[in-house]
Amino acid sequence: MSIDTEKSAILEMTEKLCETILDQPEYKEINRKINTFAYNEQAKMLYQSLYDHQMRLHQKQQQGFPVTDEESQAFQKEYEKALENDTIKEFIEAQQQIEEIEQTVNMYVSTTIKLGRLPKPEDFQSGSCGCGGGACGCGGH
């Protein structure tokens, strides 16, 4: 099934969902935290340094080299120092909240499509994907 982008019912309802998300006080607070971070050059520099450090460690692992305890501890120290900055701490929290919103919406939509009905709370219980296949690989299909 292709979705006609010329205002199909699915697209209209998706836009309504998006508007509802944007109108939520929680989302407005998330947006405030992100904007505060975006205009704080010191926080952005500290966060970028932390991100670069994380990427160096990740690349090292991808190349098959183990991360030493010293490297791990150095990263942990830098992370803890970054969290002392309230702007960075709130930015990270905001990112996590956005991810939770995205995961919840995706979970509801994908479960609805898989089940062919609106999901019930029990469809989201741990260890079940609602498809009757056991683990979330939906091997039961």
Side-chain angles (χ1 to χ4, degrees):
M1 168 175 98
S2 68
I3 298 175
D4 182 8
T5 56
E6 294 293 320
K7 290 294 181 185
S8 72
I10 293 173
L11 185 57
E12 285 183 32
M13 294 306 290
T14 301
E15 287 175 352
K16 186 166 178 63
L17 171 62
C18 292
E19 288 173 0
T20 301
I21 291 170
L22 294 175
D23 288 341
Q24 296 302 302
E26 297 88 356
Y27 179 80
K28 290 178 181 180
E29 179 62 14
I30 290 169
N31 201 38
R32 183 201 62 78
K33 291 175 183 179
I34 291 170
N35 286 332
T36 298
F37 174 81
Y39 292 107
N40 185 321
E41 293 302 319
Q42 180 189 11
K44 288 192 308 188
M45 286 178 19
L46 284 169
Y47 185 81
Q48 185 64 49
S49 174
L50 178 67
Y51 178 80
D52 291 344
H53 193 163
Q54 182 181 28
M55 287 298 102
R56 284 191 304 275
L57 294 178
H58 181 72
Q59 286 174 347
K60 183 177 180 180
Q61 287 179 317
Q62 291 296 317
Q63 294 171 350
F65 299 105
V67 174
T68 66
D69 286 341
E70 293 82 18
E71 290 170 321
S72 182
Q73 290 172 1
F75 175 78
Q76 186 63 33
K77 271 187 180 176
E78 187 174 353
Y79 179 74
E80 289 169 6
K81 182 167 175 49
L83 289 182
E84 291 173 8
N85 181 306
D86 288 339
T87 302
I88 293 173
K89 184 178 179 178
E90 289 183 353
F91 175 70
I92 291 171
E93 289 170 357
Q95 287 182 313
Q96 291 169 343
Q97 290 169 321
I98 286 174
E99 188 174 317
E100 286 176 25
I101 292 168
E102 290 173 345
Q103 287 175 349
T104 299
V105 169
N106 287 334
M107 181 176 56
Y108 267 83
V109 171
S110 65
T111 303
T112 297
I113 291 169
K114 287 175 187 171
L115 296 176
R117 63 170 169 77
L118 290 177
K120 298 174 186 169
E122 57 267 21
D123 294 323
F124 299 112
Q125 290 177 352
S126 172
S128 170
C129 66
C131 68
C136 265
C138 286
H141 279 279

